[in-house]
């Protein structure tokens, strides 16, 4: 059986997919829906890297493959719920500030918020400030934040 908490989580997700009729068998899910509970358990243990029929090396490979699939949002549960990460609250896994490794695709709401922050009351974006700094030959401009560029240009 699954030993680690990670393996238990993966097994739980696969069984969830089975209960909701989303678990597919075969390469790329082409063989159709899984109807047997025993087959679902076998698939869950294999994805979790806890199969007694596979070698340790094969189990590690299966676990890494499953983690990669979950981080990219390619499980049936994630695709149905529109999430990019197992346990994610919304579409985006997490913010960069929270350490989200796979936080690439921004939601529409997040995009609007970012644009709003970029164009505060002064109306300048970082790119516009950087262009002004380049014209004035401000040293170290490439590593400056928007606020630092404003201070260097005297726009605050």
């Amino acid at each position: 059986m699954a030993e680690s908490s990670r393996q238990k989580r993966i097994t739980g997700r696969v069984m969830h997919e089975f209960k909701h009729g989303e678990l597919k068998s075969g390469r790329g899910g082409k063989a159709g829906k899984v109807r047997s509970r025993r087959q679902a358990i076998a698939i869950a243990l294999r994805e979790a890297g806890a199969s007694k029929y596979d070698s340790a090396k094969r189990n590690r490979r299966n676990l890494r493959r499953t983690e990669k699939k979950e981080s990219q949002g390619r499980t049936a549960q994630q695709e149905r719920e529109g999430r990019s990460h197992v346990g994610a609250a919304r579409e985006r896994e997490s913010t960069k500030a929270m350490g989200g490794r796979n936080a690439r695709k921004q939601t529409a709401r997040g995009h609007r918020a970012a644009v709003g922050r970029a164009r505060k009351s002064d109306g300048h974006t970082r790119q516009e400030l950087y262009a002004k700094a380049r014209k004035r030959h401000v040293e170290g401009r490439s590593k400056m934040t928007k606020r630092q560029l404003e201070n260097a240009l005297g726009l605050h």
Side-chain angles (χ1 to χ4, degrees):
M1 288 305 288
E3 294 119 26
S4 69
S5 62
R6 180 189 303 162
Q7 290 173 333
K8 287 176 187 171
R9 190 195 74 230
I10 293 168
T11 305
R13 177 192 48 82
V14 173
M15 293 311 291
H16 174 88
E17 289 177 12
F18 168 68
K19 288 174 191 170
H20 289 270
E22 299 162 350
L23 186 62
K24 304 272 172 69
S25 66
R27 201 172 162 93
K30 303 255 191 278
K33 288 182 187 175
V34 173
R35 288 182 170 79
S36 166
R37 183 172 172 80
R38 290 179 75 182
Q39 186 182 2
I41 292 168
I43 291 170
L45 291 173
R46 175 156 285 174
E47 280 201 26
S51 174
K52 68 179 185 180
Y53 299 107
D54 287 337
S55 65
K57 185 177 179 182
R58 186 77 179 203
N59 275 332
R60 280 194 302 273
R61 185 197 303 171
N62 288 338
L63 181 61
R64 297 289 164 258
R65 182 185 297 144
T66 303
E67 286 177 342
K68 187 176 178 186
K69 186 167 86 169
E70 286 182 348
S71 70
Q72 291 174 346
R74 291 190 294 119
T75 66
Q77 183 181 3
Q78 291 164 307
E79 287 171 1
R80 183 174 59 87
E81 295 174 359
R83 297 178 178 193
S84 63
H85 169 72
V86 170
R90 291 180 188 84
E91 283 183 48
R92 192 169 173 186
E93 176 197 322
S94 63
T95 61
K96 295 282 186 190
M98 290 170 61
R101 292 191 311 271
N102 305 324
R104 286 185 227 111
K105 189 180 173 202
Q106 213 173 32
T107 60
R109 183 177 174 188
H111 177 70
R112 281 195 301 272
V115 168
R117 282 193 303 272
R119 294 192 178 274
K120 282 197 176 145
S121 58
D122 59 0
H124 298 292
T125 63
R126 187 192 176 277
Q127 285 86 352
E128 291 169 356
L129 293 170
Y130 182 81
K132 285 182 182 181
R134 190 171 53 214
K135 285 179 186 173
R136 293 191 194 175
H137 302 290
V138 175
E139 282 190 42
R141 62 185 175 268
S142 64
K143 291 183 172 65
M144 289 185 185
T145 63
K146 181 181 172 185
R147 175 138 322 141
Q148 289 170 335
L149 286 167
E150 287 174 343
N151 291 339
L153 294 169
L155 298 173
H156 55 269

